Amino acid sequence: MSSPSPKESAADARDMANAIRALAMDAVQAANSGHPGMPMGMAEIAVALWSRHLVHNPRNPAWANRDRFVLSNGHGSMLLYALLHLTGYDLPIDEIRRFRQLHSKTPGHPEVGVTPGVETTTGPLGQGISNAVGMALAEKLLAAHFNRPGFDIVDHHTYAFLGDGCMMEGVSHESCALAGTLGLSKLIAIYDDNGISIDSEKGHIANWYTDDVPKRFAGYGWQVIANVDGHDVDAMDRAIRKAKREKERPTLICARTVIGKGAPNKANTGGAHGAPLGDAEIAATRAAIGWPHAPFVIPQPVYDAWDAKAAGKRVEKKWTKLFAAYEEAHPELAADFLRRMAGELPIGFDERVTGLVRDIDAKAETVATRKASQNVLESLKPALPELLGGSADLTGSNLTMVKASRIIGSRIKPGEGDGGNYLFYGVREFGMCAIMNGVALHGGFIPYGGTFLMFSDYARSALRMAALMKQRVIYVFTHDSIGLGEDGPTHQPVEHAASLRLIPQLDVWRPCDTVESALAWTMAIERRDGPSALLFSRQNLPHAKRDAQALANVRRGGYVLSQASGPARAAIIATGSEVALALAAQRSLAAEGIAVSVVSMPSSTVFDRQDAGYRGEVLPPNLPRVAVEAGVTEGWRKYVGLDGAVVGIDRFGESAPAGELFKHFGFTAEHVAAAVKGVLH
């Protein structure tokens, strides 16, 4: 897409930059909280990018072919809020005044879905640039799939600002190295090289960060444009133009800046990083930069210089005309593009799932749920081109690749197939999950990625961010318990399922058989308001027989899988591989005249959202309960109460074959039956 034309004079550029500085220092001072230094230091960089290059429409922040902008150093959120306000987004000055206040559109760190124009929630450093990698990956894959000669309907850049903190965080190494390998040439990152952090009196980072950043990124395979004066708008403009001409590599522009630029006494110090400047310093700054206006007052000529509404309307209108011609020439592709960008599933998906579940139930296979997961993907992936899969160097163990998977190569080029739909992420669990967040945020894909459940720890912050942002991302976590076996306690997750269930808005599924595996996948794909974690076994699990009502209720997260043979005296709640133990214990107890029901709870997070009436039907009040899971016991206490029991494992595992371990730790039908007897009154 063409960029906006330069329109400002040198005086305009100066005033445009100073407007950012004024809004940043005034908003932080009013809130008595925040980070003024970065916005003040990156003001000229923002002028160069947002007034001369960024393709966007403030009146339609969701326009499909807009450039994506990511503020990875999200603590400097006032930079982004100032830009959104000045360029014409629905972010009035009253919201700038309410910076960091309850229910404002200007929270402490940018939040997608809260502030118009914010593309991703940033703050945890390193994840924003990783999200940007995912956005650039999505753009390139969509372009390869949908573009046709004369119809570049997917053609935009992803820009990211990042600072020293992002550079230091390990996730940036993971994601940026992969971006270089993939040749994501429309990814342009601008590094705010100000040499200041929080620690020590003056905040200079030389005592703890001496990486040669240009060499590091050159080693990743990036184009590096080093030593650019970040306070020279024209120099930054030239660097961005050079970056946009690069067709094979992502670009890092290293911009030298002064944190808190303009503040006479606090510029270039740690004091400007994360605290208000103070009234006296703000007054001195106003005098130093020649900004005589009162707090939160922007002169109309400065608003006019920043205003991007007309340019945005023109560029979107041009694209809309192009898309209309594309729609006429390629109607099926156009319809699929619109469907995918809207996040809608194909017509007939429900019927396909119904038939799949029916067939799986009829086969009644005894397989590991990781294999059941692969079987589901074999059926669904051909019907869902938006499923973008991958694994963190464990494809053969996670079973996340299927016949319809096409490997994404090291260089993705339009006209050479569709770019692929399966990515080898390498041993980069955190990077994988943060990149998937960016893919989901961009739109057009439902990303899923696999690793062992144990390694969800590495990626946890990205999982949390997906939940916070309510993004449709699917995590395939296999080898879900001590059933992993001989690899021992380093690889046996005991606390991980319980830990993941603590993350708000993350749905956690631990299916017991092929049917529950299919429905877990279905629920994750259908869900549009948050991520899902699917926990699968390494070991084979038997198919569980269920009636039609039970089959329908799987979607509700917990249900009565097997009714008691008479009036129930207790209920056994189980999940995953332990459901088979519960059913065996039920049969054993029935032989002794003790009738119990078995409740399968593949997703306690989904079950907890059901109405009280349904939950009471599944777990009647005052009915003694025993919960069974090969993991820590604490999370199950809310279901069994003080008088109930939990058969679990509150210690790390051992190295031995899975069968021996289950016996050793008491995961046997006999032990479960004994626990039930222990809670009977």
Side-chain angles (χ1 to χ4, degrees), residues 257-405:
T257 65
V258 174
I259 195 170
K261 175 74 172 177
N265 302 302
K266 292 190 177 181
N268 200 35
T269 69
H273 178 94
L277 296 181
D279 291 333
E281 185 70 3
I282 288 175
T285 303
R286 275 185 154 77
I289 66 177
W291 188 265
H293 314 290
F296 301 105
V297 172
I298 306 295
Q300 190 59 46
V302 177
Y303 273 125
D304 293 341
W306 269 115
D307 193 345
K309 296 191 294 295
K313 182 179 180 180
R314 285 194 302 271
V315 73
E316 183 178 354
K317 184 177 180 180
K318 182 179 179 180
W319 180 85
T320 301
K321 183 177 179 180
L322 174 69
F323 190 82
Y326 175 80
E327 199 167 19
E328 185 174 342
H330 306 285
E332 292 184 2
L333 281 172
D336 202 40
F337 176 79
L338 293 174
R339 177 189 68 78
R340 287 174 58 171
M341 292 305 293
E344 297 172 354
L345 296 175
I347 295 173
F349 180 76
D350 290 347
E351 291 80 1
R352 189 181 186 96
V353 167
T354 299
L356 173 64
V357 172
R358 182 179 59 246
D359 292 345
I360 287 174
D361 194 32
K363 288 181 180 178
E365 292 181 300
T366 294
V367 296
T369 51
R370 62 170 173 163
K371 179 60 179 175
S373 166
Q374 185 182 46
N375 292 343
V376 173
L377 283 173
E378 289 283 9
S379 176
L380 295 185
K381 192 149 187 156
L384 290 173
E386 58 265 47
L387 274 181
L388 179 61
S391 180
D393 202 44
L394 289 167
T395 293
S397 294
N398 300 146
L399 303 183
T400 43
M401 183 184 288
V402 296
K403 294 175 183 176
S405 299

Side-chain angles (χ1 to χ4, degrees), residues 453-469:
L453 178 56
M454 167 66 200
F455 302 132
S456 64
D457 278 348
Y458 286 150
R460 186 178 181 86
S461 187
L463 272 62
R464 182 178 186 272
M465 295 306 294
L468 180 61
M469 295 187 286

